[in-house]
Amino acid sequence: MSERGRFRLGVLVSGRGTNLQAILDAIQRGELNAEVALVVSNRPEAYALRRAAQRGVPTVVVERRAYPSRREQHMAIAEALRQAGVDLVVLAGFDQVLHPDFVKAFPMRIINIHPSLLPAFGGGLHAQADAWAYGVKVSGCTVHFVTEEVDAGPIILQAAVPVLDDDTPETLAARILEQEHRILPQAIALIAQGALRIEGRRVLRCKDAR
Ligand code: GRF
């Protein structure tokens, strides 16, 4: 926690950063009592970096090519997050698989947003198009804790959307994205409030939580 007692977030991004924007907007609207302490990108061209800068959020670029291994790159990210004093690491469109040592450094303190209803269509970078091509009639998005196995950690929140006959992968992805922007800040708020408990791999609401 920071001196003001706010829950501190470290957000990892690689691209356009609409989920980062949703977090920043939820904070600004007073719906999420947290602050983004640091945004980390593995890509210097990520538009997400501009969104962070526009809100005065510190950013750092940690490129894969600047390090001899993915492990060293990710441990450099871990060190930056530790120095920023983050309480929770949020993967918001980060396009690398985290090294297991990074995951171990933040046990049950890393969450990810994935654009499908896990465990369906996990593991890839094109979950919306995969769901569309498969012909499912319902898809959606999942916020989950990150464990060493990709897209397989305990599920915090999910939102479902219909897949319509005249959808394209793009229209489906846009419908899913709207829900991502809703449930990612909501999941962070639940964690920040200490409103969740974990039983096995089931994430449940604490009964005494607000
Ligand atoms: C989202 O679809 C998210 O579910 C996936 O990567 C995409 C990131 O989009 N993990 P954005 O950069 O937040 O706009």
Side-chain angles (χ1 to χ4, degrees):
M1 297 268 184
S2 73
E3 284 152 30
R4 280 175 293 155
R6 285 184 108 191
F7 195 73
R8 291 173 73 81
L9 307 174
V11 184
L12 272 55
V13 297
S14 301
R16 63 191 169 172
T18 65
N19 278 287
L20 168 66
Q21 191 71 55
I23 294 167
L24 293 168
D25 291 348
I27 292 171
Q28 199 168 58
R29 287 196 302 266
E31 291 167 11
L32 174 57
N33 187 18
E35 69 185 279
V36 180
L38 184 65
V39 168
V40 182
S41 177
N42 59 335
R43 302 191 183 281
E45 72 278 11
Y47 188 72
L49 290 167
R50 288 213 236 163
R51 296 180 189 269
Q54 275 163 14
R55 292 285 173 93
V57 172
T59 62
V60 63
V61 175
V62 184
E63 284 185 271
R64 171 66 187 85
R65 63 177 186 174
Y67 295 86
S69 68
R70 182 174 58 105
R71 182 184 182 283
E72 283 162 273
Q73 177 208 6
H74 289 184
M75 294 326 278
I77 295 175
E79 184 50 34
L81 293 165
R82 253 195 301 266
Q83 278 179 20
V86 311
D87 298 301
L88 182 72
V89 179
V90 181
L91 308 185
F94 187 66
D95 64 6
Q96 287 186 291
V97 174
L98 287 173
H99 191 278
D101 289 344
F102 183 102
V103 178
K104 286 194 187 93
F106 298 94
M108 297 309 263
R109 287 277 141 196
I110 311 170
I111 65 170
N112 179 46
I113 175 82
H114 183 80
S116 75
L117 290 176
L118 291 172
F121 308 109
L125 285 176
H126 311 286
Q128 308 95 324
D130 292 346
W132 177 86
Y134 194 95
V136 295
K137 300 300 183 193
V138 176
S139 191
C141 49
T142 303
V143 183
H144 63 92
F145 285 108
V146 172
T147 54
E148 289 178 36
E149 199 185 335
V150 174
D151 293 336
I155 291 172
I156 302 166
L157 289 176
Q158 292 186 302
V161 303
V163 183
L164 307 177
D165 286 355
D166 59 1
D167 265 333
T168 62
E170 291 74 28
T171 59
L172 175 59
R175 191 175 305 121
I176 293 171
L177 191 63
E178 263 180 54
Q179 298 303 314
E180 295 183 36
H181 296 164
R182 190 175 63 78
I183 68 169
L184 181 57
Q186 207 181 326
I188 297 168
L190 289 168
I191 296 169
Q193 290 159 14
L196 301 177
R197 65 195 165 91
I198 300 177
E199 265 183 33
R201 53 163 298 128
R202 300 172 71 225
V203 181
L204 308 170
R205 302 274 175 109
C206 294
K207 289 210 174 67
D208 53 358
R210 285 183 277 155

